[in-house]
Amino acid sequence: MTPDAERIVAEIDAIGGQRDIGTGSYATASLALNDRAKVRQWLSTAIDKIEQQQPDAGYYDLMSIRANSYGDPILDEPEFRELRAKLGTL
């Protein structure tokens, strides 16, 4: 992980402690850390929220993940392609 990623993740965690930043923001931070387990956890939580028709403050981050606009190879792995497809129901 780069120092920039560490700094940004620390900022996201700090902001998230003050207000709702959404599962998408946490999933994006987890991608920056290459933490597959946390990416999976946050995307699963986002899908649960979608199924319950609950809004997510990290909507735009979720859409970036869905489209893999980051070009992150983790998101092209089969299990993450499946999760991304479920985000398509937003």
Side-chain angles (χ1 to χ4, degrees), residues 19-31:
R19 62 182 167 87
D20 181 19
I21 61 170
T23 59
S25 299
Y26 286 112
T28 300
S30 298
L31 275 174

Side-chain angles (χ1 to χ4, degrees), residues 2-90:
T2 68
D4 285 340
E6 291 174 350
R7 180 183 51 78
I8 291 169
V9 169
E11 289 177 20
I12 288 169
D13 285 340
I15 293 168
Q18 299 170 5
R19 62 182 167 87
D20 181 19
I21 61 170
T23 59
S25 299
Y26 286 112
T28 300
S30 298
L31 275 174
L33 299 173
N34 290 315
D35 188 335
R36 286 175 171 78
K38 283 192 178 183
V39 173
R40 186 180 315 104
Q41 171 195 343
W42 287 115
L43 292 180
S44 294
T45 300
I47 291 163
D48 289 343
K49 288 178 78 172
I50 292 165
E51 291 171 350
Q52 296 174 25
Q53 298 180 343
Q54 296 176 356
D56 191 277
Y59 173 82
Y60 292 108
D61 289 316
L62 289 172
M63 292 302 93
S64 292
I65 288 171
R66 184 180 120 197
N68 195 10
S69 59
Y70 308 118
D72 194 308
I74 289 173
L75 295 176
D76 285 330
E77 294 175 5
E79 74 175 297
F80 291 103
R81 281 198 310 261
E82 182 178 328
L83 291 169
R84 288 172 44 219
K86 290 180 181 179
L87 291 175
T89 60
L90 290 171

